[in-house]
Amino acid sequence: MGLVHSRLEQLEQEREKQKETERYLKEEMERRKELERKLLQLKSSLKSHNSRDEQDDQLPDLYRRKVFFNYEKRMRLHSPPEKVFEYFASCRSPEGEVLMEAADLMRAVVPVFPPSESNLVREGYLKGERRSPGHLRCPPSLFFMLFDVNNDGLISFNEYIFLVTLLSIPESSFSAAFKMFDMDNDGEIDKEEFKKVMALMRSHNNYRQGAHHHRDGMRKGSKVNDDYVENGGVLEYFFGIDGKGRLSIHRFLQFMRDLHHEILRLEFDHYDYKSRKTISAKDFALSIVASADLSHLGRLLDLVEEMNNDPSFKDVRITFEEFNNFAELRKKLLPFSLAIIGFAKVNGLLRREDFQRAASHVCGLSLSDNVVKIVYHLFDTNGDGHLSSDEFVRVLHNKENDITQPMETGILRFLSCCWNCKHSFPYSRLFS
């Protein structure tokens, strides 16, 4: 009976996988039809605007940016990792291998708009296009070169998979992930323990990210070697040249924080198109609304465009310190959201000074007047000086989950399963 029951469970799992595959293929077909429809509208729009003046000629580019942004955001969420890699990679080796620069890695995991000071309308490359390295001017990242196993200054697909697997661990679960690596509970892990769990997490992520409808989790022509976490790069950094070192939890946690901070720095550099060490108010606004629900995105982008006609935003520039402080706010979103929503319900209004005071007193963060001014321009829906707290919190929540969104659920389920098998320990306590 046990064998029969096990076989029935296996058949049921196979049926569920088949259903999910069919759902994915149906959704992918609908997405492609929608993109084709919008591209046809775009061609029609371009023809209708050819005879207009210079100001009107900007309208097609704005429309194209929206179309491609929606396409890229859905690609990050639903497409197999090799498709995402191929789209955002900007380089090609003499042998024809597609490769990434550090900035390409950021764009592949973080939804970003083309910088407002550029003439670009999208971030990646369509099939058959010539790739032009460095078309977006981000300085090189020494940190990301830790993942450059071949020491060639570029990131291969295998190295990209390794990076995305690490980034799929949400910051709130760093410690839990390390406990999963630490098989013998001594507070340190060796190279083989690390490689084994990384390989398992990668295989689980393939199914989560839409690659499950291919036989081996990858499309034909894109292969991930079983030893994709082999010697070199970050493993050498963790375990030494001979691979015999051990990695402590404190060093691992600091590395993961540094990794996420580098992603943030590259996002800022992406919008700093002219290398001025600051970004425009409009680009800061774009970085915020990039994480909005697609159903609200159009309205928020209209508000961003209105900033062009508001002289009070003309000379406003945002520094990396201001950009970073706002990002830190996202990491403390739960207490901050409770504070601002509760205050608004009790007092009826949440003024700018109340917003800044909540950030300072609850989260220990200083938000500049310019940052708060931009936030209120986007989320003061009635123009009454009162923040629409619910929508603002939703956008910040989405932003914090953007990097881990395609994989976070699968990773947490995987960690929980392994932990329960190992310790019969409730999932809720693992992340408490």
Side-chain angles (χ1 to χ4, degrees), residues 172-340:
S172 59
S173 303
F174 288 173
S175 295
F178 191 92
K179 291 176 183 177
M180 194 55 248
F181 294 149
D182 184 12
M183 299 296 186
D184 51 10
N185 296 313
D186 64 353
E188 295 182 335
I189 57 175
D190 62 29
K191 181 178 175 180
E192 293 307 313
E193 289 172 334
F194 183 83
K195 287 171 58 178
K196 187 180 298 183
V197 178
M198 285 289 289
L200 287 171
M201 293 172 90
R202 196 267 298 176
S203 64
H204 198 88
N205 288 346
N206 280 346
Y207 184 82
R208 170 69 179 167
Q209 206 177 14
H212 58 277
H213 62 284
H214 303 292
R215 180 178 178 184
D216 59 353
M218 308 305 298
R219 292 189 304 171
K220 185 177 180 180
S222 297
K223 298 179 180 179
V224 176
N225 299 327
D226 292 335
D227 61 351
Y228 84 108
V229 290
E230 198 47 75
N231 298 336
V234 75
L235 286 189
E236 185 175 307
Y237 175 79
F238 280 160
F239 303 105
I241 296 177
D242 60 3
K244 297 181 179 179
R246 294 181 66 82
L247 178 65
S248 70
I249 185 170
H250 300 294
R251 191 178 179 203
F252 177 71
L253 295 182
Q254 187 58 53
F255 175 86
M256 293 297 286
R257 294 187 189 104
D258 291 343
L259 173 59
H260 281 256
H261 185 269
E262 185 68 3
I263 288 287
L264 183 70
R265 188 190 70 80
L266 284 170
E267 182 185 359
F268 180 85
D269 289 343
H270 165 84
Y271 287 111
D272 183 17
Y273 186 69
K274 296 185 177 180
S275 302
R276 298 170 61 180
K277 306 300 181 184
T278 59
I279 62 175
S280 68
K282 182 178 180 179
D283 281 321
F284 180 65
L286 286 173
S287 76
I288 297 174
V289 305
S291 296
D293 296 335
L294 291 178
S295 58
H296 299 157
L297 185 61
R299 178 178 58 79
L300 289 170
L301 285 176
D302 289 340
L303 290 170
V304 173
E305 290 304 315
E306 288 178 8
M307 297 171 72
N308 291 332
N309 303 318
D310 188 336
S312 67
F313 288 114
K314 181 179 179 181
D315 297 321
V316 172
R317 307 290 299 182
I318 302 299
T319 66
F320 179 72
E321 182 180 1
E322 293 172 299
F323 192 82
N324 184 62
N325 282 350
F326 189 75
E328 288 295 319
L329 186 67
R330 302 195 305 262
K331 299 176 184 178
K332 303 176 181 179
L333 186 57
L334 179 58
F336 181 73
S337 60
L338 291 174
I340 62 173

Side-chain angles (χ1 to χ4, degrees), residues 54-121:
E54 184 177 352
Q55 181 178 0
D56 286 339
D57 282 342
Q58 295 176 6
L59 292 176
D61 278 350
L62 296 177
Y63 180 74
R64 291 168 67 199
R65 286 188 179 203
K66 292 179 183 179
V67 170
F68 279 111
F69 178 82
N70 290 349
Y71 172 73
E72 289 167 356
K73 193 163 188 175
R74 289 190 175 98
M75 176 185 290
R76 292 183 187 96
L77 287 171
H78 302 296
S79 294
E82 72 278 11
K83 182 177 180 180
V84 178
F85 180 83
E86 290 169 0
Y87 180 82
F88 288 101
S90 64
C91 302
R92 189 181 293 274
S93 71
E95 294 76 24
E97 181 185 6
V98 176
L99 299 166
M100 275 187 169
E101 294 184 329
D104 299 330
L105 282 165
M106 181 277 297
R107 297 180 190 109
V109 296
V110 179
V112 289
F113 284 95
S116 63
E117 295 174 328
S118 76
N119 295 319
L120 300 167
V121 296

